[in-house]
Amino acid sequence: MYAQMVKSTGQGVKPREEMSPQERAFQDRIDADQKIEPKDWMPDAYRKTLIRQIGQHAHSEIVGQLPEGNWITRAPTLERKAILLAKVQDEAGHGLYLYCAAETLGVSRDELTQDLLSGRMKYSSIFNYPTLTWADMGAVGWLVDGAAIMNQVPLQRTSYGPYSRAMIRICKEESFHQRQGYDIMMKMANGSDAQKKMAQDALNRFWYPSLMMFGPSDKESVHSAQSMAWKIKINTNDELRQKFVDQTVPQAELLGLSIPDPDLRWNEERGHYDFSEPDWTEFFDVLRGAGPCNTDRMAARRNAWDDGAWFRDGLMAHAEKKRARAAAAKTAAE
Amino acid sequence: MTTNEWPLWEIFIRGQHGLSHRHVGSLHAPDAEMAIKHARDVYTRRNEGVSIWVAKAENIAASAPSDKGPLFEPSNDKVYRHPTFFDIPDEAGHM
Ligand SMILES: [Fe+2]
Ligand SMILES: [Fe+2]
């Protein structure tokens, strides 16, 4: 998902008998659906896993602005431009909410940023694909935000209070993102032959990368089992992927577009669509840094950090000067 | 890389309906003035508020989770603080 392949630090779920009384009380609170708050005691591994997961989620929101940012100056109308701008601004806010949630666990935002820029922390594989035409803005909103929503809605119930509250804020805004994307797709799919072709092409290119967003099957993953016991992961990757396919296929039909999967069909018995798995070798290549846009995305983030340094420092210096001036004026008046 | 990180501010917004300011989240800013500007950009994008308070996170004092018992439990057995504790005959009218 926006946080893919997050490894917990433990060796799987600790059996209850091996837990310390403190750990047992902690797990009991989670089982009773109580929220864990920043100052509460928590196992080290819970804290560390959450920092990785929330951090990776935050990085994804920030890097995720780049593929759409590419089209702000190229939007076909002023209205579309304003809408896309608002959407991308929302994503900056999502990054901010999540960094703040991670900070309550004792890591600073600058530390997290450094970990992204050095490549030690990852962001979602999906943002390493290029956005080649305007129809891609439709496909991204519809499919990428759609997949993100699948993951984020259950996370509103996650055990960590600040993470849960960030998710609630984010989910309120995501529906706008998906709808504006689908709206673009409707326009294109009902437009000229050339527009329809572009819409189909965008769907063709974004379908499998969107399925990859949920990560490889984690039915047998010890990391996922621990995260689920802690309620920082609510569903398995396969459950969410299936849900996404079931929701998206009828939407594609409504657009008159076809899903690029010859094996896709409704399975009456299961009550779900059968579908082809994405190419997981490609997924691991992209995670490793060999996707089509990895180098570009990282370069853009590094430049933003380096080129913004004078501005961050300048505002700090200005704030300090103002504070000193106010203090001097106060002393003079006394 | 040296970092000169902007301090953290907690943000409180008064919604449309005249209720108290409510904590909505936090953000980084060099000073209070910029914190208000950032808060307006992030937390009032969809008409959520009519007034913003910002407070430096380091200036907020909070009760400790371990104080939960001594702080909050004493009110558990003081049920007479609730209006429903008293049986008043219906004939007395609304009260
Ligand atoms: Fe987002
Ligand atoms: Fe979004």
Side-chain angles (χ1 to χ4, degrees):
Chain A
M1 203 50 236
Y2 272 25
Q4 294 158 325
M5 316 274 305
V6 175
K7 293 205 162 65
S8 59
T9 48
Q11 317 292 307
V13 189
K14 210 180 218 186
R16 212 178 153 76
E17 313 77 66
E18 286 172 30
M19 288 182 184
S20 68
Q22 221 169 9
E23 286 173 322
R24 220 170 294 153
F26 176 80
Q27 189 62 49
D28 287 344
R29 286 185 61 196
I30 289 183
D31 293 343
D33 277 331
Q34 287 179 20
K35 296 284 179 232
I36 308 300
E37 295 296 341
K39 288 183 161 185
D40 293 342
W41 182 87
M42 59 188 85
D44 230 26
Y46 176 85
R47 183 188 299 276
K48 283 195 183 130
T49 309
L50 263 181
I51 289 175
R52 277 186 208 155
Q53 179 173 333
I54 301 174
Q56 202 185 108
H57 196 154
H59 297 328
S60 298
E61 301 285 352
I62 297 300
V63 178
Q65 294 178 98
L66 297 171
E68 289 175 303
N70 186 38
W71 282 91
I72 291 174
T73 55
R74 301 175 174 94
T77 67
L78 186 57
E79 188 186 54
R80 289 289 182 194
K81 179 177 177 157
I83 293 170
L84 186 60
L85 187 60
K87 198 265 186 191
V88 173
Q89 285 173 337
D90 277 356
E91 304 299 2
H94 296 180
L96 178 138
Y97 308 154
L98 287 160
Y99 283 127
C100 287
E103 284 180 277
T104 63
L105 292 159
V107 62
S108 80
R109 187 171 72 182
D110 281 6
E111 279 166 352
L112 289 169
T113 304
Q114 293 315 319
D115 282 349
L116 170 70
L117 299 184
S118 71
R120 211 169 324 146
M121 281 182 90
K122 301 281 181 223
Y123 54 89
S124 175
S125 56
I126 190 72
F127 302 120
N128 291 311
Y129 290 87
T131 44
L132 304 176
T133 73
W134 174 252
D136 288 10
M137 295 303 95
V140 168
W142 172 34
L143 301 173
V144 176
D145 288 83
I149 292 170
M150 278 290 153
N151 179 54
Q152 289 169 342
V153 165
L155 275 178
Q156 294 179 101
R157 291 181 282 117
T158 187
S159 61
Y160 189 54
Y163 192 24
S164 153
R165 292 190 282 275
M167 280 297 124
I168 290 169
R169 288 196 70 86
I170 287 175
C171 284
K172 269 194 201 148
E173 301 180 346
E174 286 294 356
S175 162
F176 151 57
H177 298 178
Q178 197 185 15
R179 289 171 73 113
Q180 66 85 35
Y182 196 72
D183 187 60
I184 293 173
M185 288 309 265
M186 288 199 304
K187 199 87 185 175
M188 304 285 289
N190 295 310
S192 67
D193 278 355
Q195 284 175 310
K196 195 164 178 176
K197 245 191 177 146
M198 279 166 74
Q200 181 62 55
D201 171 63
L203 171 56
N204 291 350
R205 283 181 290 106
F206 276 95
W207 176 251
Y208 287 106
S210 300
L211 295 189
M212 289 178 204
M213 286 176 69
F214 300 96
S217 179
D218 58 352
K219 273 182 298 218
E220 266 115 60
S221 159
V222 287
H223 301 297
S224 295
Q226 178 60 79
S227 290
M228 288 176 96
W230 281 333
K231 293 190 187 159
I232 59 181
K233 183 177 171 75
I234 313 289
N235 305 93
T236 67
N237 295 348
D238 290 322
E239 276 168 13
L240 292 173
R241 190 171 13 252
Q242 181 71 63
K243 236 177 139 183
F244 174 74
V245 171
D246 290 349
Q247 172 190 286
T248 309
V249 173
Q251 294 170 346
E253 279 165 8
L254 195 62
L255 292 170
L257 301 177
S258 43
I259 304 279
D261 178 359
D263 295 325
L264 182 99
R265 59 182 56 84
W266 179 252
N267 183 326
E268 193 65 59
E269 215 174 295
R270 292 201 308 126
H272 293 290
Y273 283 95
D274 291 337
F275 59 95
S276 305
E277 289 277 310
D279 176 358
W280 292 113
T281 323
E282 178 184 317
F283 171 78
F284 287 110
D285 284 348
V286 174
L287 269 201
R288 226 180 357 94
C293 297
N294 294 59
T295 315
D296 268 22
R297 303 296 186 231
M298 288 306 287
R301 289 316 306 153
R302 286 200 195 101
N303 287 343
W305 177 260
D306 293 342
D307 295 349
W310 69 271
F311 177 77
R312 294 191 300 273
D313 293 345
L315 281 190
M316 270 306 260
H318 178 68
E320 181 51 36
K321 213 195 257 172
K322 250 188 2 191
R323 198 198 53 76
R325 215 179 284 143
K330 199 173 164 207
T331 331
E334 273 160 12
Chain B
M1 224 174 293
T2 59
T3 70
N4 184 16
E5 196 166 27
W6 291 349
L8 191 67
W9 299 78
E10 298 300 333
I11 312 301
F12 303 82
I13 306 271
R14 186 203 298 287
Q16 302 288 345
H17 307 294
L19 299 175
S20 307
H21 285 76
R22 200 169 67 89
H23 182 245
V24 291
S26 30
L27 50 77
H28 289 268
D31 58 18
E33 190 189 334
M34 286 303 295
I36 290 174
K37 291 201 166 113
H38 288 170
R40 172 257 191 198
D41 286 346
V42 183
Y43 291 110
T44 64
R45 286 171 57 71
R46 292 176 173 83
N47 262 327
E48 288 95 337
V50 293
S51 159
I52 299 171
W53 284 354
V54 301
K56 243 188 188 169
E58 64 182 27
N59 291 338
I60 291 180
S63 63
S66 53
D67 289 342
K68 217 157 86 189
L71 284 178
F72 308 117
E73 269 160 29
S75 71
N76 283 352
D77 57 4
K78 296 178 179 58
V79 282
Y80 47 81
R81 289 177 177 175
H82 295 277
T84 45
F85 178 75
F86 306 93
D87 278 329
I88 305 288
D90 288 348
E91 299 83 70
H94 183 71
M95 197 181 278

